[in-house]
Amino acid sequence: MSGCGHDPAPPPAKDGKTRVAILISGAGSNMAALLEAAKAADYPAEIAVVISNNPEAAGLELARRAGIEALAIDHRPFGKVRHDHELALDAAMRLRGVEVVVLAGYMRILTAHLVRAWEGRMLNIHPSLLPNYPGLDTHARAIAAGDAEAGCTVHLVTEGVDEGPVLGQARVPIEPGDTAETLAARVRTAEHKLYPEALAAFIEQRKTAPV
Ligand code: GAR
């Protein structure tokens, strides 16, 4: 995995804040919640860069309007060579002194190369109460199963999809008449509170016991 794991001299972190990259593929509502939280002087993360594999992701424009550097690194020119796309992501993050990576609706499965390069320093949010419903269509599956509640999970990224150690969860009720869309909206509101809190707690814990 040449290229992964070599840190050029990174820009210094501001005020002891941890430099975070947010990876998105779409709307970026979780990204927006993280950017909002990071405005607070006492929030432990500084958002160094937002990167999308999808140049059309609405979140890129949102980030730019918030004054954050936002890059599109399109996966399509790399064809089936996922690893080469990830090397480009990895290089962009290291160049900016990124210490922690936050996946926020990043809809590409990562190869073991990138996961290992950022092991213990890469977080994801998933719209279910893991270990229930890894993968896609989580809300429709929870409704079809007759579950009384749903939720979201922030976890460390490991090589297994949606499998890493859980850092935090938030629960919401499934109401009679819920559709996948109405439930998704309720879960997303919970995500916007959970993710900034879980990231802050992770960073604070990491300062006392770095990986
Ligand atoms: C979020 O609900 C997030 O949990 C989900 O994508 C949505 C992104 O929304 N992520 C996954 O399904 C990853 N497996 P956003 O772009 O508005 O933050």
Side-chain angles (χ1 to χ4, degrees), residues 23-186:
L23 271 51
I24 63 168
S25 295
S29 70
N30 278 287
M31 173 210 75
L34 290 160
L35 295 187
E36 191 57 37
K39 285 183 187 167
D42 61 350
Y43 195 75
E46 174 193 350
I47 310 305
V49 66
V50 169
I51 306 177
S52 177
N53 65 303
N54 168 18
E56 311 303 323
L60 286 174
E61 193 45 39
L62 269 182
R64 287 184 192 121
R65 271 193 260 130
I68 304 295
E69 185 185 13
L71 304 174
I73 303 182
D74 194 344
H75 62 276
R76 288 168 298 188
F78 295 91
K80 290 194 162 55
V81 193
R82 274 173 195 269
H83 180 42
D84 287 354
H85 176 247
E86 291 181 354
L87 284 178
L89 288 180
D90 187 75
M93 294 192 291
R94 290 182 192 278
L95 197 62
R96 288 160 181 80
V98 167
E99 297 157 276
V100 169
V101 182
V102 167
L103 307 182
Y106 186 71
M107 302 308 279
R108 305 262 309 157
I109 291 177
L110 302 176
T111 73
H113 296 286
L114 197 71
V115 172
R116 284 189 207 136
W118 292 91
E119 190 175 0
R121 299 187 294 150
M122 185 186 273
L123 280 60
N124 182 43
I125 190 157
H126 183 75
S128 78
L129 295 169
L130 290 173
N132 295 340
Y133 312 120
L136 299 175
D137 299 324
T138 53
H139 307 302
R141 288 154 70 200
I143 292 169
D147 293 353
E149 57 179 12
C152 47
T153 303
V154 173
H155 65 95
L156 281 172
V157 175
T158 55
E159 288 179 42
V161 176
D162 301 328
E163 272 184 15
V166 170
L167 300 176
Q169 288 187 315
R171 312 176 97 82
V172 300
I174 299 181
E175 306 282 6
D178 258 341
T179 62
E181 289 71 29
T182 58
L183 180 56
R186 193 174 306 121

